Amino acid sequence: MSLAIYAAGALCWRIVDDKLVMLVVHRTKYGDVTIPKGKVDPGETLPQTAVREIQEETGLAVTLGVPLGISTYPLASGREKIVHFWAAEVTDQAIAQSTFVPNSEIAAIEWVTLKKARGYLTYDRDVEILDAFEALVKQGITSTFALIALRHGKAVPRGGWDGPDAARPLTDRGVKQAAGDVPTLRAWRPRRIITSDAVRCIATVAPLAAATGVKPRREAGISQDAYEEGRGDIRRVVGKRVRSRKTAVLCSHGPVLPEILREIALATGTMPGGYLNDAADLDTGGFSIVHLSATNPASGIVSIETYAPAVA
């Protein structure tokens, strides 16, 4: 059986004159109208691909939002193509800095209403992605932000460390995990980086801080020491991040992550459940992206994506 071809893209949208419009591309080679997307390059993750392909096809630098679904369809070669889609709000700055010119792949880009797009898109599979987005719009969920629960990279084991637990450093593998997470995390463009004050957490977010220019803020309240000693301050830390409505990374520890996820649910009026434990059950260097609505906070957790570390 032929191996599947993976691709990723995004339904890009913005508000123009109080009207919501989305971006479609007119492809030169196929003469069709579709949602921008493209194949995964070697070594890329799907979110990376989505951001890169949007930039290459439309000239727009975007930040990913919520996942909208997966399209699966056969190609003429007999191979199966699997395409992951996200929503992506396009800012006025991105429009002003767009580098698009018609090329051999894309003849034109066009902003259209959801109603027009429904009859405009060539493929039913694209309309299904449009349907998923429209369902969110009807709930009042357009602009979103994410709280990203990140488990620190692999650290030197307690048994092999002669010193305070909070001072345990990352192993070589942990350092590689921390660096390997950066390209995927950047697809959501974190505005804040909050980290436990343990060395292994501080070191985990260091490459992300260097890549984004966001200075990490140390919070003892989400450390393992504070949690085990009953002096954790998770509710305050999470509550502040929910109120700010800015995408943030919260780097903490295996035992603390279930509480962080639970507090996100409680802060947004979301019913707790086993899904929170699944999202918190991360390998070192793994992370879960909890999507929340900035326009309708009462809608609770919109969705959760979980990613294994790029370096196992």
Side-chain angles (χ1 to χ4, degrees), residues 283-307:
D283 292 332
T284 54
F287 52 93
S288 283
I289 301 174
V290 184
H291 295 278
L292 305 171
S293 173
T295 45
N296 183 10
S299 58
I301 292 174
V302 180
S303 65
I304 301 178
E305 304 178 72
T306 297
Y307 289 86

Side-chain angles (χ1 to χ4, degrees), residues 170 174-175 177-180 182 186 193 202-213:
L170 296 179
V175 170
Q177 287 175 334
V182 171
R186 288 189 72 185
I193 300 173
I202 295 168
T204 296
V205 299
L208 180 63
T212 60

Side-chain angles (χ1 to χ4, degrees), residues 21-197:
V21 292
M22 57 161 285
L23 184 70
V24 296
V25 296
H26 298 255
R27 294 198 297 183
T28 309
K29 180 178 178 181
Y30 300 100
D32 57 9
V33 180
T34 186
I35 300 170
K37 62 184 180 296
K39 288 185 286 189
V40 174
D41 279 348
E44 273 188 332
T45 61
L46 289 160
Q48 276 180 270
T49 300
V51 172
R52 177 184 56 75
E53 283 289 341
I54 299 301
Q55 177 89 56
E56 290 179 359
E57 290 197 352
T58 71
L60 296 168
V62 301
T63 303
L64 296 187
V66 297
L68 293 176
I70 302 170
S71 293
T72 303
Y73 52 96
L75 299 173
S77 63
R79 299 177 73 179
E80 187 175 53
K81 191 167 187 178
I82 301 172
V83 190
H84 290 243
F85 286 99
W86 287 264
E89 182 175 4
V90 179
T91 64
D92 291 342
Q93 181 182 16
I95 294 291
Q97 296 175 349
S98 172
T99 57
F100 176 77
V101 291
N103 54 67
S104 60
E105 189 172 357
I106 305 297
I109 62 176
E110 186 176 1
W111 291 96
V112 296
T113 62
L114 291 175
K115 182 178 180 180
K116 185 172 182 180
R118 186 171 299 283
Y120 213 18
L121 291 166
T122 303
Y123 308 106
D124 288 343
R125 58 180 178 264
D126 285 346
V127 175
E128 290 175 3
I129 299 302
L130 180 69
D131 287 343
F133 179 67
E134 190 167 19
L136 293 175
V137 173
K138 287 178 178 177
Q139 297 174 55
I141 301 167
T142 47
S143 295
T144 60
F145 67 101
L147 296 184
I148 303 172
L150 168 65
R151 186 177 178 187
H152 64 75
K154 181 69 176 174
V156 171
R158 281 188 176 185
W161 176 249
D162 184 19
D165 180 68
R168 280 194 288 136
L170 296 179
T171 62
D172 288 345
R173 187 175 76 173
V175 170
K176 291 175 181 176
Q177 287 175 334
D181 284 341
V182 171
T184 305
L185 290 170
R186 288 189 72 185
W188 283 273
R189 205 171 295 186
R191 303 271 301 279
R192 299 288 186 271
I193 300 173
I194 313 300
T195 177
S196 156
D197 59 357

